[in-house]
Amino acid sequence: MNQIKTIIAGPCVIETAELLDTVAHKLVEINGKLGTDIIFKASFDKANRTSVRSFRGPGLERGLQMLADVKAKYGLRLLTDIHEAWQAKPVGEVCDVIQIPAFLCRQTDLLIAAAQTGKTVNIKKAQFLSGLDMRYPVEKARDAGATEVWLTERGNMMGYNNLVVDFRNIPDMLGIVPTVIMDCTHSVQRPGGADGKTGGDRRYVPQMALAAKAFGATGCFFEVHPAPDEGLSDAANMLELDKLEDLVGKLIADD
């Protein structure tokens, strides 16, 4: 079976420096045990929350400083997402991978700005697009100078407040780029389905990861938290931090 090569993990949103330290320390521990190079992910601003009352994060300036502190202290590579084109340049000065949110993957100016940083651009597939449709966002990024573009599968809308994953999107996107990531936690979301918040069911995260591996995915993305139910964003679908090591071990194994 295919071997997963790229692992991305971290809390959905930057809550506190203590949370970042807890997660980063665990990722370093896993890297040491398993020989992996897990990329640390956290968002400085969750600009697409369901409710205006939802926690968004510390913002760009403070958030990037906190991410830079993680890199300096733990030596981890960093990934974060941007929502506006002007954010690309400062984010590119700190992070190794710039992520384009699924809802924004057709935003030409956003893709161009991310590509022009020279950093890896990870484009999440929109909930309303097929895998084959993603050749157009990739084309925009490459035409703007991106040398490395990744694509991420995160499910498609199915009726109201639910997602379905068509794993055929993974080989379809592998025909466009060599690196295709499975977002194993956002794919178990129930968007807006929890009274003004996004719901979900983290029980299915391991199955999403193993199924993606079977379909040829080259990487997996996990939002993790030491106490997910206390998380300030995506609480219902984040994976428990203490379950990450065992799952990563299965994903990187040559079966």
Side-chain angles (χ1 to χ4, degrees):
M1 189 184 290
N2 175 55
Q3 184 182 34
I4 296 293
K5 301 177 179 65
T6 303
I7 305 288
I8 303 163
C12 177
V13 65
I14 298 171
E15 299 178 14
T16 64
E18 291 74 20
L19 172 64
L20 299 190
D21 276 335
T22 297
V23 175
H25 184 272
K26 182 62 175 180
L27 299 188
V28 170
E29 182 181 292
I30 295 172
N31 284 339
K33 289 182 179 179
L34 301 182
T36 47
D37 181 21
I38 300 175
I39 300 170
F40 184 93
K41 180 271 172 184
S43 297
F44 57 82
D45 180 21
K46 301 300 291 184
N48 58 349
R49 299 300 303 276
T50 301
S51 171
V52 71
R53 297 176 182 82
S54 297
F55 178 76
R56 288 182 54 166
L60 179 73
E61 184 176 355
R62 176 62 180 147
L64 286 181
Q65 182 58 60
M66 295 170 80
L67 289 172
D69 290 345
V70 167
K71 176 179 274 191
K73 185 174 180 179
Y74 296 99
L76 294 165
R77 290 190 290 159
L78 301 176
L79 177 151
T80 198
D81 38 12
I82 62 173
H83 293 83
E84 299 182 66
W86 65 269
Q87 296 173 339
K89 187 176 186 297
V91 167
E93 292 171 354
V94 174
C95 296
D96 304 275
V97 183
I98 298 177
Q99 183 165 277
I100 306 299
F103 284 128
L104 301 177
C105 76
R106 290 175 49 163
Q107 296 297 105
T108 301
D109 290 345
L110 193 64
L111 290 162
I112 289 173
Q116 289 177 340
T117 65
K119 297 304 177 78
T120 298
V121 180
N122 182 34
I123 309 173
K124 298 185 77 171
K125 182 185 72 61
Q127 297 90 331
F128 48 84
L129 294 178
S130 72
L132 292 175
D133 291 330
M134 293 306 292
R135 65 186 183 275
Y136 301 111
V138 170
E139 183 180 79
K140 291 177 183 180
R142 285 176 172 164
D143 283 357
T147 56
E148 187 169 8
V149 181
W150 301 349
L151 290 175
T152 293
E153 166 64 31
R154 52 98 71 244
N156 287 80
M157 291 305 300
M158 181 186 70
Y160 297 97
N161 305 121
N162 213 339
L163 296 169
V164 62
V165 175
D166 182 350
F167 287 96
R168 296 174 298 181
N169 284 324
I170 291 172
D172 283 347
M173 291 193 292
L174 283 168
I176 303 169
V177 296
T179 301
V180 172
I181 311 294
M182 180 67 203
D183 185 339
C184 303
T185 44
H186 284 103
S187 59
V188 300
Q189 278 184 336
R190 291 181 180 169
D195 192 25
K197 297 185 292 184
T198 289
D201 194 338
R202 71 176 65 94
R203 291 179 301 166
Y204 300 112
V205 169
Q207 289 90 335
M208 287 290 182
L210 293 170
K213 177 179 178 178
F215 272 86
T218 63
C220 283
F221 177 111
F222 302 99
E223 287 190 335
V224 296
H225 196 287
D229 288 331
E230 299 174 13
L232 300 181
S233 178
D234 280 354
N237 51 269
M238 280 194 288
L239 181 70
E240 297 94 334
L241 181 61
D242 61 7
K243 293 184 178 179
L244 182 64
E245 182 179 334
D246 180 65
L247 183 52
V248 169
K250 295 175 182 176
L251 294 172
I252 66 173
D254 283 318
D255 295 330

